[in-house]
Structures are given as C-alpha cells and as structure tokens.
Amino acid sequence: EEYLAGTHLIAQDSVVRPLAFQQLAYDHWRRDPTRWREVILLALGYAVRQPRLETVALWIQFMISPHHGERQRDPAELHTAASFAAEALVDIGGRGQFAGVSTVDLPALWTRLSTLLAEVVEGSEIPAAERVRVGIWLGELGDTRSGVCTLPPVMVHIHGGSFVIGLTPSEIECLPKDEQRYFSNAQNDLPILIADFDLARYPVTNAQFAIFIETGGYDQQAEWWQVNPDALQWIRRSRYNLPRYWHNRHLGIARPNHPVVGVTWHEAMVFCHWLTIYLNDGYNYVLPDEAEWEYASRSIMRRAYPWGDIEPDSGRANFNETYQGTTAVGCFPHGATPEGVMDLAGNVWEWTNSEYQIYPLDQNINHRKTLSSASGNYIHRGGSWGNKKLFIQSYYRGRTMREIDDGIGFRVARFIRSKKH
C-alpha cells in the first residue's frame, strides 16, 4: 500500500504539472510526517530506479527552499524539512549519483543542505536525539563545518587565571556519600596559575586524523616520530598504523565528523607534533596539560560541568550509553562552555599531557616537554559515551598507561611558537 501510494505520487509529475510530486509530497508529509515518511522514501527510491534523478533533485531543492510559494518558511520548518531531505538522500544512496543532473545547481544545493544540517546539529532547538541522527547524515553527505573534517581546527581563546585544580576538602564533604571515595586523592587547596592559551572547539575527528594518516602520519622515518624515542620504540614494537576502531562502522572513519577514538597517548602526542609541522602557522600544537584542560572546563567559576552546575541530561552530553557510541562533534550546544568549547563532557575521554600524580600538583614539572621518559599513567579527562555522570564532571580524572587506547581520543591546544612550551 505504501509503495503503491509512493509510485502514484511520482506519477503525478507530467509536462503539464512538472512539480506536482514535490508539492503533493511536501503537503502530505507536513500534515502527517509519521504516516507519510515511508511513502515518500519509497517514492524517491522508485524514482531513482527509473531513473528520474531530476525529480529527486528537484524534491530536495523544494524541501530546503526558504520559501513555500509566497510564504516564508521559519527556521523550525526548514530544519525539520532539511533533516528529512538528508535522511532520504542517504536512504537512496547519497549524492554521488546525481552528477549528471543539469536542471539543478548541485554545488549550491549540497552547500545549502549542509548549512541547514549544521544549523540543526549546533544551533537549533530540535531534540538532541534528532540532532545526533542528523549529525550522522551530515557526516555521510559531507560535513562542511569549519574545523570539523578539515584543518586547521577551530580554536577558542582561553584567558588565563588562578584556580584550584580538583576539589577542596570542603567541596568533597558536600558530595554525595557514595561519590566521596572517588575523590579521596583529589583534594587540593593550592591555586595554580594558568597562562592564556587556545583550545580546540572540538575533539580531533576521524576526518582530521585521516589527513594525518594520508600524509604519512605513521611513517616511522618522519620527523614527528624521530624526535620522540619513546613513541618510536612503541610504534616499532606495536606496529600500529591505524587507530584501534578505524574500521568500526559506528566509531571509525565511516563516521568522519565523530571524534577519533582508540588512540594511545603516543599517537595523540605525535599527531600534535605532525600538526605543528603540517600547518606551519606560527603555533605549537600540543596536548593540554591536566590543569589547562580542567581550567577550560571549569574556569574560575569552578563549574561542576562545562556548562555550569545543572545536572547533566541527554540534551547536554553524550554519556551513560544514551546514544550507544560516539556522536558527531558539536551535537550538544547546551553542553558547551560559555567560551564555546564543545564536547568536554562525554563522547570520548581526552588525553592530557600530564603524568598522574597525587594532588597537590608539583608545579615545577614541565608538562610541555616534547620528550618523555616516564613510564607511568597519564591523565585523561571528560568521560565517554558509556560513563555515568560521575565520570563526566569537570574535576574527575582518569588515568591510563600511555600505550592503552580503549575509548580514548583527544583535542589539541596551541601556543605561539616563540614561547617555550
């Protein structure tokens, strides 16, 4: 019945009524999207097999047009229509098959669709679950957001200041009793001075890490491996040439706008050195140290979470297995810091450049050195998609051996190269 209804809709197009399908399909879908969704998807699939690709391209163009006749569409209507258009486009095989269509300006069409989808992901009031789905479709169709699938990364300037890392003894006493034991070694009351620095708006994505791979990132003869004897020894021993989950269809390069996950501390450090050479823009790209990461997440306001002290939910962060894997970066605008840094809570753990030590931290240790002879555990922050809310708090610290890669990603910081970091 749904298939016959779909083919009937397509058949309404004629020389006399060339846009009948677009108008009828849209009107039916807008009145009852649940009932007509499958009908329209079947109709578009039928049109592709005919092939009537011009009809499908014109339908997508109609769906994302800012006007409906003389009526101006509001952003909510446009975003909902663009989301459905993206779902349909992925369902029928993507945009590559439209190369021969001449009735529509295809570059302009794909740019507008990507722009609307990016607005859905980062800037709309559409429910978080829908934003997550749209993030997947946006990745499959080509995410054109600056610094998501391309380099350089988008950086956010963090103004320095003095703050106390971790929790003070009085703050630990205010925690629920069942949480206090997790922070018994995380009490501190000595302020740390943080200098100004830039931090990436998003974690490093699969697409960005792919650039590293494609430009010889794992070449053991390259400078970025040669300058770090520990990393070179590790890669020769392990023979890694890809992140652990690279070919996993839910976590790897099949999701280009998702954070890269399954990288060791060595790989994250070498990526930063490679990025400094690759961009050659006057900055040193590094892993943030533990204090810088926490300061970016908490600020001098000592926020419990990047967004403040409101308890986390599925609209602010990817945690507690709600989305059963990573999500496209930027899907949780309500979970950003006031400065605009996103995904600091949940999605993937993030390596820092700090070896684990019990608070108070020894401020004489140079965490910014390129070489490391340490063999202990390194700090990662922020929690992942599978962790409960305890672990995505801004002051929670995880520690892992630097050769371990399970569930960990990273983001970069940068400093002007003339400074000795």
Side-chain angles (χ1 to χ4, degrees):
E1 183 178 300
E2 291 170 329
Y3 176 75
L4 292 175
T7 56
H8 177 75
L9 276 178
I10 286 287
Q12 303 311 300
D13 266 13
S14 65
V15 175
V16 178
R17 302 177 65 200
L19 298 178
F21 167 70
Q22 283 78 6
Q23 183 65 59
L24 287 170
Y26 183 79
D27 288 346
H28 287 316
W29 170 77
R30 191 165 179 236
R31 282 196 297 269
D32 192 347
T34 301
R35 182 179 181 186
W36 285 92
R37 171 184 169 276
E38 191 64 27
V39 173
I40 295 170
L41 291 177
L42 289 169
L44 295 171
Y46 174 78
V48 168
R49 291 192 302 273
Q50 285 302 296
R52 294 176 61 180
L53 293 171
E54 288 82 1
T55 297
V56 180
L58 286 168
W59 176 80
I60 295 172
Q61 184 180 62
F62 183 87
M63 291 290 284
I64 62 176
S65 169
H67 302 94
H68 184 191
E70 296 182 355
R71 180 175 64 84
Q72 181 85 16
R73 289 172 171 161
D74 62 32
E77 180 182 349
L78 266 176
H79 291 155
T80 302
S83 299
F84 182 48
E87 178 188 9
L89 185 55
V90 169
D91 184 70
I92 61 177
R95 64 186 194 179
Q97 61 196 312
F98 292 86
V101 172
S102 58
T103 54
V104 173
D105 182 349
L106 291 175
L109 181 65
W110 306 138
T111 297
R112 175 160 176 77
L113 179 58
S114 179
T115 299
L116 287 172
L117 295 179
E119 290 175 4
V120 172
V121 169
E122 289 201 23
S124 76
E125 296 305 316
I126 286 179
E130 179 69 11
R131 294 200 302 269
V132 168
R133 285 193 292 271
V134 170
I136 295 172
W137 299 329
L138 180 58
E140 293 189 22
L141 298 174
D143 194 329
T144 59
R145 287 179 291 165
S146 177
V148 170
C149 292
T150 57
L151 294 171
V154 175
M155 307 299 291
V156 177
H157 187 68
I158 307 298
H159 293 282
S162 178
F163 91 120
V164 175
I165 192 171
L167 295 172
T168 64
S170 60
E171 286 174 325
I172 292 178
E173 289 178 4
C174 294
L175 292 175
K177 293 295 184 183
D178 60 341
E179 292 186 15
Q180 290 183 12
R181 61 190 178 92
Y182 289 98
F183 299 97
S184 60
N185 67 348
Q187 43 188 325
N188 194 24
D189 55 10
L190 298 177
I192 295 176
L193 184 62
I194 303 294
D196 286 13
F197 67 103
D198 296 333
L199 187 66
R201 177 174 170 84
Y202 313 106
V204 171
T205 63
N206 286 311
Q208 291 172 326
F209 203 86
I211 300 172
F212 167 73
I213 295 171
E214 292 161 3
T215 56
Y218 282 94
D219 179 2
Q220 297 177 22
Q221 303 305 314
E223 177 184 350
W224 39 90
W225 289 102
Q226 293 296 317
V227 298
N228 194 326
D230 289 341
L232 185 59
Q233 183 181 12
W234 167 81
I235 195 174
R236 284 174 175 170
R237 183 177 66 251
S238 66
R239 299 182 180 180
Y240 273 39
N241 59 10
L242 291 173
R244 172 184 285 203
Y245 299 108
W246 196 247
H247 294 303
N248 183 300
R249 64 191 183 94
H250 297 297
L251 301 174
I253 189 56
R255 301 279 171 88
N257 57 355
H258 289 218
V260 65
V261 60
V263 294
T264 64
W265 183 85
H266 291 301
E267 289 166 288
M269 288 285 286
V270 167
F271 177 94
C272 292
H273 192 73
W274 165 84
L275 186 62
T276 298
I277 297 171
Y278 180 78
L279 294 179
N280 192 27
D281 58 1
Y283 290 96
N284 279 330
Y285 289 85
V286 297
L287 291 179
D289 69 27
E290 179 181 17
E292 289 162 350
W293 194 101
E294 183 174 321
Y295 181 76
S297 187
R298 300 191 74 189
S299 186
I300 59 175
M301 305 303 294
R302 300 184 61 72
R303 301 181 291 257
Y305 302 95
W307 56 85
D309 295 326
I310 299 173
E311 288 291 289
D313 56 34
S314 60
R316 292 185 184 273
N318 176 11
F319 72 110
N320 204 28
E321 291 286 2
T322 301
Y323 301 106
Q324 300 181 332
T326 60
T327 48
V329 298
C331 281
F332 302 95
H334 301 300
T337 70
E339 296 78 17
V341 183
M342 307 189 81
D343 293 271
L344 281 171
N347 216 352
V348 292
W349 286 102
E350 299 179 13
W351 285 113
T352 74
N353 196 28
S354 297
E355 188 180 7
Y356 173 76
Q357 54 179 311
I358 296 175
Y359 293 148
L361 299 182
D362 182 354
Q363 297 192 56
N364 293 319
I365 291 180
N366 178 15
H367 291 301
R368 195 61 61 215
K369 58 187 177 182
T370 302
L371 303 178
S372 173
S373 59
S375 58
N377 293 324
Y378 275 73
I379 295 294
H380 48 81
R381 291 294 199 118
S384 77
W385 72 87
N387 291 124
K388 298 185 182 299
K389 70 175 184 178
L390 167 69
F391 303 100
I392 69 169
Q393 295 175 99
S394 296
Y395 39 78
Y396 188 87
R397 58 201 313 235
R399 53 175 174 166
T400 298
M401 292 181 64
R402 56 187 180 164
E403 291 83 8
I404 302 298
D405 56 25
D406 195 20
I408 308 180
F410 66 104
R411 78 175 67 219
V412 299
R414 75 179 183 188
F415 296 87
I416 296 175
R417 192 174 300 168
S418 59
K419 293 185 178 181
K420 295 181 180 181
H421 289 289

